[in-house]
Amino acid sequence: MKKNLLSLALFFSGGISLMFAQAPLFFSEYAEGSSDNKYLEIYNPTADTVDLTGYAYPNANGGSVGNYEYWNTFDSAASIAPGDVYVIAHGSADSTILAEADETHNYLSNGDDGYALAFGTEDSYVVLDWLGNFDADPGSGWAVAGVEDATKDHTLVRKFSVTSGNSDWTASAGTSAEDSEWIVLDKDDWTFLGSHSELFLVEGCTDMSANNYNAEATLNDGSCTYDVTGCMDSTAFNYNAEANIDDNSCEYTITGCTDSTATNYNVEAVTEDGSCQYPIVLGDVSPLFFSEYAEGTSNNKYLEVYNPTDSVVSLAGYAYPSVANDPTTPGEHEFWNTFDEGASIAPGDVYVIAHGSADSTILAEADETHNYLSNGDDGYALAFGTEDSYVVLDWLGNFDADPGSGWAVAGVEDATMNHTLVRKLSVTQGNSDWTASAGTNEEDSEWIVLDVNDWTNLGSHSQDAPVSGCTNPLALNYNAEATLDDGSCQFDSSIVFGCTDSLAINYNAEATNEDASCEYEVVVTEVTISEIQGTSDVSPYVDQIVATSGVVTAVAPAGYFLQETSAAWSGVYVYDSENVPELGSMVSLHADVVEYYDMTELKNVSNFTVLDISPVITPLTDLSAPISESLEGCLITLSGVCSIASNDYGEATFANVSLDGQTFIVNDLIYNHEFVESESYLITGVVEYSFNEFKLCPRDASDISMLVSVDEITASNIKVFLNASVLNIVSEIDGVQNFEVFAISGQRVLNGQFDGQLSLPVTMLNDAIYLVKVGNHVQKIVKY
C-alpha cells in the first residue's frame, strides 16, 4: 500500500516532468509460443538513438494488486537505433528468435504475466506502454482483438498505425480486430520479428494439410477446407451434406428388431435382422443350482451343478459367468463361460466342471474341464440368457467387492479357499442372495464346509448330509456314524491325549494316548532361483518351503519378480501382497513353491528381508525362438513389428525376426501401452505364463521404444568408422536402431541397438575386415 501511494504522488506531481524525459518507445511485438519460444520487441519511433539506461520492463506474475513484482532493467549500454527494434528473448528460444535477440531474459511470460514498458527508477517511474497489466489474475491469458487467451500460444504484432504506447491496456487490447491496436497471429509465427514496418498481411488458409492451402497467406482467415468422407447420396438415411469423398457407407434401410414385444424393439427399423431379445421368464427356466464346490491343493478345483427336476435339462442358454478377485466394474461379470456344446443334465443328476489338471478322482466325475476356476476369491453365477441379458439362478461368491483371500461361509473365514463346500439337501433351488446363502454359522448357512481335498460327495447330490457327532474313536461318546465332528467328545480323565513323539516340537511327556497332533520343525531348503526353476516345466521343489534371494526386476499388482543373474532359468514370480519391495533391490525370503496354472511361483512369503547389496540385472537380448520355459520370470528385451494391435485384454502380438520369425505376445500385467499395428518396437519386460502362453510384460513407458524402419536408414544419414579400436556409429535419425557386425566369412560377431550414436570398444575382435550393417546400409571397416 505504501508503494501505491508513492507512485500516485509521483504521477500527479513530480511524475509530470518525467513524461518529457523519455522517448515514446512502445511494445511492437510479443510472442508466447511452444517450449521457450518467447520474446518482447520494443520499437523506437524517433529519429534519434535512444539509450535504454533509465528504462525497464517490470512485470507481475499471474496478476497482482496494481504493483509490479519484478523490476527488469535492460543490459548495460543497451540502446535502440532510430526506427529500429530491441528484442528481449528467452535464452533457450529457437535459433530464429535468438538471431534477432539483443538480450536474453529467462523469465518471460507463460501468457498470464503482465509487463509494462517503464521509464524511471524502481520507486519512481511512469508507464509508457502495457502488455497485460498488474491487476487481477487473467486466468490463462488476456483477450486481445476478441481472441480469448491471446497472450498465450500466440504472437501479437502492433498495428503500424499505432505511433506511441498506451497507458490503458484494455483500450490497447480492444474487443475486436477493428478496435484493437494488435494483430493476433498463430503460435510460433515469427514472420515480422526484427523490424516494425507496415504489415502487408495476406489472408487465406495457412494450413498445409487443407485442400485450399495458400502458400502466400500470412494470416489464417478460417477458410480452410478439408476432405470429409461419408455418404454423398442424399437419398440415403445417413447422407452427409459435408462429405466430399464418398466412402460407400450409404445405408438405405434401417435394420433391427421389428417385434414390439422384444426388449430391444427398434421403432425405426424397417427390416428384421434377427436381433430381437425377449424378457427372460424364470418360470420357463429350470431351477438348477450349485450343489458342490472345491478349491483344493494345486489344481484340484471344480464346480458341481444339480438338476432337481424330473426332466433332462439342456444346458444351451445356461452359463457360469465369473469375475476375478477385484472386479473391473462391480456388479458386472468379466468372463462369460458357457457349457460345452450339447451338454445336458439328467433328472436328479449333477454336472461337474473341473480343472483340466485336477486329481484323477475329480476328472473321473468331470463332464467338462475349464482351466480358469477360482483360487477362492473369484465370484461365479449360474445364469440363463445371453451375455448382454441374463438372470442369475444361483451364486458362489458374487460380482461385488474384492473378498480378499475368499468368502466366509457358515462362519468359516475364507471358506471358498482351501475347502470343499457341499450344499445342504434341504436346499431345493438357487439363491439370488449370496450373503444369505453363505450365512454366518452352521445353522443358517445353506452350505456345509469340509476340509481341503474332501471330495467324498462329488458326483451326486443324493448322499445324506454329514452326521454331526464325536468322531474320535478314543472318546467315551465316539459315534461311528458321525462324519462331521461337533466338538462334543468326552474322554476318561485318566487318559491324557497329546503328542507322544519325543522328536516333535510339541512333545507332551505326560500324554498317554497319541492324538495325531504332533508338529515338527519345518524344514526350509536353501536354494537358488535357478535350482527352483530346474530345467523342466515343473519345479523340482514344488510343494516345498525354500529360502532364496534375488533382485527385484518388476513390481506387479499382487507381487513381484525376482532374478538372481542375467541368465535363463534364473527368474521367478513371487505372489506377495504384504511386501512391496523397490525395483532393483535385493531381497531374501522363505516361501512355498507352487505351480499356478503351470507357472512356477513362490507364495506364503515369510522372513522377508531387504539386503544391503543390489546386483544389476541386465535384460537378456540374444534369444532363440521361441520364448520358452527357460525365460519364465526373466527380464528380457525383444524387438518386433506389431502384427495385432492391443485388444480389450491389453494384449498385442508381434513378429520378431531375431526369433526366426516367431511371434510373441505383450501383456498389460504391469503397464498398458496402446501398440499400433505395423509399427516396430523395442520392448523390455518380464516373462509371465498365463492362458497357456508365455507373455512379455513391460514395466513402464521407458521399457517401450519405437524402432526406426530400415527403409529410413541410408548412407546419407549414417556414418560408420573405427577409431583406436572403438566402433563409432553416428545416425541423423532419432529412434532406436539395430546394428550387426559380420566377419568377412559371413559370421555375425556383434549385434545390438543404439539411439542416435554408438561408441563401442572392439578390442576383443581380431585384426581383420568386417562388415557393419545398420538397417539396409552396409559398410566395410578394417581393424588392425
Side-chain angles (χ1 to χ4, degrees):
M1 183 60 72
K2 184 176 181 182
K3 183 179 290 185
N4 278 345
L5 294 174
L6 178 60
S7 299
L8 288 170
L10 289 170
F11 186 84
F12 290 111
S13 57
I16 298 297
S17 64
L18 290 176
M19 291 295 290
F20 301 98
Q22 75 281 328
L25 308 180
F26 60 89
F27 290 119
S28 53
E29 193 162 335
Y30 159 91
E32 199 287 316
S34 59
S35 189
D36 293 321
N37 297 320
K38 312 168 192 290
Y39 61 81
L40 299 171
E41 182 186 89
I42 299 167
Y43 177 57
N44 174 11
T46 73
D48 300 311
T49 296
V50 176
D51 183 353
L52 291 176
T53 304
Y55 293 84
Y57 50 101
N59 73 289
N61 287 346
S64 184
V65 288
N67 300 329
Y68 68 84
E69 294 178 293
Y70 303 97
W71 183 259
N72 310 306
T73 58
F74 292 87
D75 285 354
S76 176
S79 64
I80 314 180
D84 201 1
V85 295
Y86 189 93
V87 177
I88 307 158
H90 192 287
S92 299
D94 186 273
S95 58
T96 303
I97 298 173
L98 293 177
E100 299 290 344
D102 296 286
E103 71 174 74
T104 59
H105 182 71
N106 287 356
Y107 304 101
L108 293 175
S109 176
N110 288 325
D112 56 355
D113 303 341
Y115 280 86
L117 180 61
F119 180 79
T121 67
E122 191 168 354
D123 296 320
S124 175
Y125 63 90
V126 290
V127 173
L128 308 178
D129 201 10
W130 288 103
L131 259 168
N133 56 38
F134 296 163
D135 298 337
D137 185 349
S140 297
W142 281 274
V144 179
V147 178
E148 196 71 22
D149 297 333
T151 54
K152 180 177 178 61
D153 293 334
H154 289 90
T155 297
L156 306 183
V157 177
R158 205 70 168 262
K159 292 178 179 177
F160 196 67
S161 57
V162 177
T163 58
S164 63
N166 194 332
S167 60
D168 184 347
W169 164 246
T170 302
S172 172
T175 59
S176 66
E178 290 72 30
D179 66 11
S180 176
E181 295 183 0
W182 298 88
I183 297 170
V184 181
L185 303 181
D186 290 338
K187 181 171 68 174
D188 296 339
D189 185 343
W190 313 315
T191 307
F192 305 103
L193 174 63
S195 65
H196 186 59
S197 56
E198 183 66 57
L199 304 184
F200 295 98
L201 298 174
V202 177
E203 294 188 354
C205 175
T206 60
D207 188 346
M208 296 179 65
S209 65
N211 294 328
N212 60 330
Y213 166 63
N214 184 351
E216 298 179 356
T218 59
L219 184 64
N220 197 316
D221 62 358
S223 66
C224 295
T225 61
Y226 303 88
D227 286 338
V228 178
T229 60
C231 174
M232 298 179 63
D233 187 346
S234 60
T235 64
F237 71 82
N238 62 329
Y239 166 62
N240 185 350
E242 297 179 358
N244 55 18
I245 298 178
D246 197 303
D247 62 358
N248 299 317
S249 66
C250 295
E251 297 180 18
Y252 301 89
T253 302
I254 299 177
T255 61
C257 175
T258 59
D259 186 345
S260 60
T261 65
T263 56
N264 62 330
Y265 167 59
N266 185 349
V267 67
E268 297 180 356
V270 176
T271 303
E272 172 63 49
D273 64 358
S275 65
C276 293
Q277 298 176 1
Y278 299 90
I280 298 171
V281 180
L282 281 177
D284 299 334
V285 181
S286 295
L288 308 181
F289 61 90
F290 290 119
S291 53
E292 194 162 333
Y293 158 92
E295 200 287 318
T297 57
S298 190
N299 292 319
N300 295 319
K301 312 168 192 290
Y302 60 81
L303 296 171
E304 183 185 87
V305 179
Y306 177 58
N307 174 11
T309 74
D310 55 4
S311 303
V312 174
V313 175
S314 169
L315 291 176
Y318 292 84
Y320 51 104
S322 61
V323 297
N325 58 325
D326 189 8
T328 303
T329 305
E332 296 183 8
H333 71 273
E334 293 179 303
F335 306 100
W336 184 256
N337 312 305
T338 58
F339 291 88
D340 284 353
E341 185 176 356
S344 63
I345 314 182
D349 201 359
V350 296
Y351 189 93
V352 177
I353 308 154
H355 191 285
S357 300
D359 186 275
S360 59
T361 303
I362 297 174
L363 293 177
E365 298 291 343
D367 295 285
E368 71 174 72
T369 59
H370 182 72
N371 286 354
Y372 305 101
L373 294 176
S374 177
N375 288 324
D377 51 3
D378 302 343
Y380 283 89
L382 182 60
F384 182 83
T386 66
E387 189 168 359
D388 298 320
S389 176
Y390 61 89
V391 291
V392 174
L393 308 177
D394 200 11
W395 287 104
L396 256 169
N398 56 38
F399 296 164
D400 298 338
D402 185 350
S405 298
W407 278 275
V409 179
V412 178
E413 196 71 22
D414 297 334
T416 53
M417 180 178 182
N418 293 331
H419 289 90
T420 297
L421 306 183
V422 176
R423 206 69 169 262
K424 292 178 179 178
L425 285 179
S426 57
V427 176
T428 58
Q429 63 181 13
N431 194 331
S432 60
D433 183 348
W434 165 246
T435 302
S437 172
T440 59
N441 54 53
E442 291 183 9
E443 288 71 31
D444 67 11
S445 177
E446 296 183 358
W447 298 86
I448 298 168
V449 182
L450 303 180
D451 290 338
V452 64
N453 295 344
D454 185 341
W455 313 315
T456 307
N457 301 299
L458 174 63
S460 66
H461 190 56
S462 58
Q463 297 97 334
D464 291 334
V467 176
S468 297
C470 174
T471 60
N472 192 329
L474 299 177
L476 297 175
N477 60 331
Y478 166 62
N479 183 351
E481 296 180 357
T483 58
L484 185 65
D485 198 295
D486 61 0
S488 65
C489 293
Q490 301 173 7
F491 301 93
D492 188 332
S493 59
S494 64
I495 299 175
V496 176
F497 293 96
C499 174
T500 60
D501 187 349
S502 60
L503 298 178
I505 58 176
N506 63 330
Y507 166 63
N508 185 352
E510 298 179 357
T512 61
N513 290 77
E514 173 64 48
D515 64 356
S517 66
C518 292
E519 298 177 2
Y520 300 89
E521 186 175 354
V522 176
V523 177
V524 179
T525 307
E526 189 166 340
V527 293
T528 64
I529 295 175
S530 298
E531 290 172 326
I532 294 171
Q533 284 288 4
T535 55
S536 64
D537 292 348
V538 178
S539 169
Y541 292 91
V542 69
D543 295 332
Q544 295 185 39
I545 302 175
V546 298
T548 192
S549 61
V551 177
V552 179
T553 56
V555 178
Y560 43 89
F561 287 79
L562 293 184
Q563 194 167 338
E564 68 186 36
T565 184
S566 299
W569 299 106
S570 65
V572 70
Y573 175 67
V574 184
Y575 178 72
D576 179 9
S577 58
E578 297 295 324
N579 304 291
V580 185
E582 292 185 1
L583 191 68
S585 60
M586 179 85 170
V587 302
S588 66
L589 49 80
H590 293 180
D592 296 336
V593 180
V594 298
E595 290 291 333
Y596 180 72
Y597 291 118
D598 299 323
M599 179 172 172
T600 303
E601 292 185 4
L602 302 181
K603 64 182 295 187
N604 299 327
V605 173
S606 62
N607 293 78
F608 179 89
T609 305
V610 178
L611 306 179
D612 292 335
I613 58 173
S614 295
V616 176
I617 301 297
T618 57
L620 300 174
T621 56
D622 191 11
L623 306 174
S624 58
I627 300 177
S628 62
E629 183 77 22
S630 65
L631 298 177
E632 181 183 273
C634 290
L635 184 67
I636 69 171
T637 297
L638 291 175
S639 60
V641 179
C642 182
S643 55
I644 302 177
S646 300
N647 59 25
D648 293 340
Y649 300 99
E651 295 180 347
T653 304
F654 291 80
N656 184 285
V657 176
S658 65
L659 294 181
D660 301 332
Q662 294 282 334
T663 60
F664 65 92
I665 295 175
V666 174
N667 194 16
D668 65 347
L669 174 69
I670 303 171
Y671 172 73
N672 184 35
H673 183 86
E674 291 297 326
F675 292 100
V676 179
E677 190 172 335
S678 300
E679 293 289 347
S680 298
Y681 295 86
L682 182 71
I683 307 170
T684 296
V686 289
V687 177
E688 71 147 348
Y689 184 80
S690 62
F691 294 90
N692 300 315
E693 291 180 302
F694 290 100
K695 299 169 186 177
L696 182 60
C697 307
R699 300 162 298 177
D700 54 36
S702 65
D703 276 346
I704 301 170
S705 303
M706 297 287 288
L707 275 173
V708 173
S709 169
V710 294
D711 295 334
E712 300 177 38
I713 302 171
T714 65
S716 63
N717 51 39
I718 290 287
K719 294 180 181 179
V720 180
F721 58 93
L722 197 64
N723 184 11
S725 294
V726 175
L727 173 63
N728 296 276
I729 306 176
V730 180
S731 173
E732 297 178 2
I733 302 174
D734 293 330
V736 178
Q737 300 158 64
N738 295 314
F739 77 92
E740 298 175 285
V741 180
F742 296 88
I744 201 67
S745 63
Q747 179 185 6
R748 188 175 73 174
V749 295
L750 285 173
N751 70 290
Q753 288 94 22
F754 71 99
D755 189 351
Q757 186 168 343
L758 172 74
S759 293
L760 177 66
V762 290
T763 54
M764 79 295 290
L765 297 181
N766 297 327
D767 292 347
I769 298 174
Y770 295 92
L771 297 177
V772 179
K773 182 179 181 183
V774 184
N776 286 330
H777 175 63
V778 179
Q779 186 167 328
K780 181 178 70 175
I781 61 170
V782 181
K783 182 178 182 296
Y784 53 84

